[in-house]
Amino acid sequence: MKTVICKTYEEISKAAAEEIASIIKEKPKATLGLATGSTPVGMYRELINKYENGELDFSEVTTFNLDEYYPISKDNDQSYDYFMRKNLFDHINISQGKTNIPNGSASDPIAECEKYEKKIEENGAVDIQVLGIGQNGHIGFNEPGDYLHTVTHITDLTESTINANARFFESESDVPKKALTMGIGTILKAKKILLLANGRSKHEAISALLDDKITTAIPATLLKTHPNVILICDEEAYYG
Ligand code: PGA
């Protein structure tokens, strides 16, 4: 795992945007795996800057997001669909038909997950998958447990994730209790993985990435099996 330790959040965001930009420049039809949460917001801002100053063209880019709450409607301002429009898609020249996010209002969530996994597979490999990391070590909504899922699936959120995400909702009881998420196998099929972490609250999870042990209790440790992971984080996340 290649590691880049940054002094500030702005530095993380710029370094992460550079990684994405270099892939799009080399391959205009690139497929990006995208993440939500607070960590990648600065990276998206940098990508918008690069689009606005003519450095990047998203017209042929395809995206697949990691996850979505369930149930939730696209219009809910806490949905990841809304997040992606507000933080990236509305500000760049990406074609709406090339953006993919699991449908949080599907009547049959299991069929929706199967459809999503198939669409990723048919599209061909994700060139770069962006990941944040939960305080509990989750990636996407692959929560710690006795076992992990390989493919896109519906999952219960853990208490830790509900607490961590309650800050975005009016009250903790408003946080959806389930989500649709790519599985660990879906994530590991990406050609390259870009893991972002900012702040002391991520230190425990990041430390678990720095030895040679793998455990389903800290799902991000499975990334150690991938040959092309780059971790971009700040000093607090890295050193505590
Ligand atoms: P955060 O979430 O970027 O808001 O900290 C990351 C995650 O839970 O995966």
Side-chain angles (χ1 to χ4, degrees), residues 72-80 82-83 86 168-169:
I72 202 159
S73 89
K74 290 183 199 308
D75 303 331
N76 186 316
D77 63 7
Q78 293 308 326
S79 75
Y80 289 164
Y82 185 95
F83 175 102
K86 182 166 144 276
F168 300 115
F169 290 82

Short mmCIF file of all heavy atoms in Angstrom, two decimals, residues 72-80 82-83 86 168-169:
data_model
loop_
_atom_site.label_atom_id
_atom_site.label_comp_id
_atom_site.label_asym_id
_atom_site.label_seq_id
_atom_site.Cartn_x
_atom_site.Cartn_y
_atom_site.Cartn_z
N ILE A 72 -34.66 5.25 1.15
CA ILE A 72 -34.54 6.72 1.09
C ILE A 72 -34.90 7.14 -0.33
O ILE A 72 -34.64 6.40 -1.29
CB ILE A 72 -33.10 7.17 1.48
CG1 ILE A 72 -33.10 8.63 1.94
CG2 ILE A 72 -32.11 6.97 0.32
CD1 ILE A 72 -31.90 9.02 2.78
N SER A 73 -35.51 8.31 -0.46
CA SER A 73 -35.85 8.77 -1.81
C SER A 73 -34.72 9.66 -2.32
O SER A 73 -33.98 10.26 -1.54
CB SER A 73 -37.18 9.52 -1.79
OG SER A 73 -36.94 10.89 -1.54
N LYS A 74 -34.58 9.72 -3.64
CA LYS A 74 -33.51 10.52 -4.26
C LYS A 74 -33.61 12.00 -3.87
O LYS A 74 -32.62 12.71 -3.88
CB LYS A 74 -33.59 10.42 -5.79
CG LYS A 74 -33.21 9.06 -6.35
CD LYS A 74 -33.25 9.12 -7.87
CE LYS A 74 -33.35 7.78 -8.54
NZ LYS A 74 -32.39 6.77 -8.19
N ASP A 75 -34.83 12.45 -3.59
CA ASP A 75 -35.03 13.87 -3.26
C ASP A 75 -34.66 14.20 -1.83
O ASP A 75 -34.52 15.37 -1.47
CB ASP A 75 -36.51 14.25 -3.46
CG ASP A 75 -36.96 13.96 -4.86
OD1 ASP A 75 -36.10 14.03 -5.75
OD2 ASP A 75 -38.16 13.67 -5.05
N ASN A 76 -34.56 13.20 -0.98
CA ASN A 76 -34.18 13.45 0.41
C ASN A 76 -32.77 14.04 0.42
O ASN A 76 -31.86 13.49 -0.19
CB ASN A 76 -34.22 12.11 1.17
CG ASN A 76 -33.97 12.28 2.65
OD1 ASN A 76 -33.08 13.02 3.06
ND2 ASN A 76 -34.74 11.58 3.45
N ASP A 77 -32.61 15.17 1.11
CA ASP A 77 -31.29 15.82 1.03
C ASP A 77 -30.21 15.05 1.79
O ASP A 77 -29.05 15.47 1.78
CB ASP A 77 -31.36 17.30 1.46
CG ASP A 77 -31.78 17.48 2.90
OD1 ASP A 77 -31.91 16.47 3.62
OD2 ASP A 77 -31.99 18.64 3.30
N GLN A 78 -30.56 13.96 2.44
CA GLN A 78 -29.54 13.09 3.04
C GLN A 78 -29.24 11.85 2.18
O GLN A 78 -28.41 11.02 2.55
CB GLN A 78 -29.96 12.64 4.44
CG GLN A 78 -29.99 13.79 5.43
CD GLN A 78 -28.68 14.58 5.44
OE1 GLN A 78 -27.61 14.04 5.25
NE2 GLN A 78 -28.79 15.89 5.63
N SER A 79 -29.93 11.75 1.03
CA SER A 79 -29.62 10.58 0.18
C SER A 79 -28.26 10.81 -0.48
O SER A 79 -27.83 11.95 -0.69
CB SER A 79 -30.70 10.38 -0.88
OG SER A 79 -30.57 11.35 -1.91
N TYR A 80 -27.61 9.73 -0.81
CA TYR A 80 -26.31 9.86 -1.47
C TYR A 80 -26.48 10.30 -2.91
O TYR A 80 -25.56 10.87 -3.52
CB TYR A 80 -25.53 8.55 -1.34
CG TYR A 80 -25.06 8.31 0.09
CD1 TYR A 80 -24.63 7.06 0.51
CD2 TYR A 80 -25.04 9.35 1.02
CE1 TYR A 80 -24.20 6.85 1.82
CE2 TYR A 80 -24.62 9.15 2.32
CZ TYR A 80 -24.19 7.90 2.72
OH TYR A 80 -23.76 7.69 4.00
N TYR A 82 -28.63 12.63 -3.80
CA TYR A 82 -28.66 14.09 -3.65
C TYR A 82 -27.24 14.63 -3.40
O TYR A 82 -26.81 15.61 -4.00
CB TYR A 82 -29.59 14.44 -2.49
CG TYR A 82 -29.81 15.92 -2.27
CD1 TYR A 82 -30.94 16.55 -2.83
CD2 TYR A 82 -28.94 16.68 -1.50
CE1 TYR A 82 -31.15 17.91 -2.63
CE2 TYR A 82 -29.14 18.03 -1.31
CZ TYR A 82 -30.26 18.64 -1.86
OH TYR A 82 -30.46 19.98 -1.66
N PHE A 83 -26.52 13.96 -2.52
CA PHE A 83 -25.14 14.36 -2.19
C PHE A 83 -24.28 14.45 -3.45
O PHE A 83 -23.52 15.40 -3.64
CB PHE A 83 -24.55 13.33 -1.21
CG PHE A 83 -23.09 13.54 -0.88
CD1 PHE A 83 -22.71 14.10 0.33
CD2 PHE A 83 -22.09 13.16 -1.77
CE1 PHE A 83 -21.36 14.30 0.65
CE2 PHE A 83 -20.74 13.35 -1.47
CZ PHE A 83 -20.38 13.93 -0.26
N LYS A 86 -25.26 17.41 -5.63
CA LYS A 86 -24.89 18.69 -5.02
C LYS A 86 -23.37 18.90 -4.97
O LYS A 86 -22.87 19.99 -5.19
CB LYS A 86 -25.47 18.73 -3.61
CG LYS A 86 -25.23 20.00 -2.85
CD LYS A 86 -26.12 20.05 -1.63
CE LYS A 86 -25.42 20.70 -0.48
NZ LYS A 86 -24.56 19.86 0.34
N PHE A 168 -25.67 14.35 10.39
CA PHE A 168 -26.24 14.89 9.15
C PHE A 168 -27.77 14.95 9.20
O PHE A 168 -28.39 15.56 8.34
CB PHE A 168 -25.82 14.02 7.96
CG PHE A 168 -24.33 13.94 7.77
CD1 PHE A 168 -23.65 12.74 7.92
CD2 PHE A 168 -23.60 15.08 7.44
CE1 PHE A 168 -22.27 12.67 7.74
CE2 PHE A 168 -22.23 15.02 7.26
CZ PHE A 168 -21.57 13.81 7.41
N PHE A 169 -28.37 14.28 10.17
CA PHE A 169 -29.84 14.19 10.24
C PHE A 169 -30.35 15.02 11.41
O PHE A 169 -29.58 15.39 12.31
CB PHE A 169 -30.27 12.72 10.42
CG PHE A 169 -30.03 11.87 9.21
CD1 PHE A 169 -28.77 11.34 8.96
CD2 PHE A 169 -31.05 11.61 8.30
CE1 PHE A 169 -28.53 10.56 7.83
CE2 PHE A 169 -30.82 10.82 7.17
CZ PHE A 169 -29.56 10.30 6.94
#
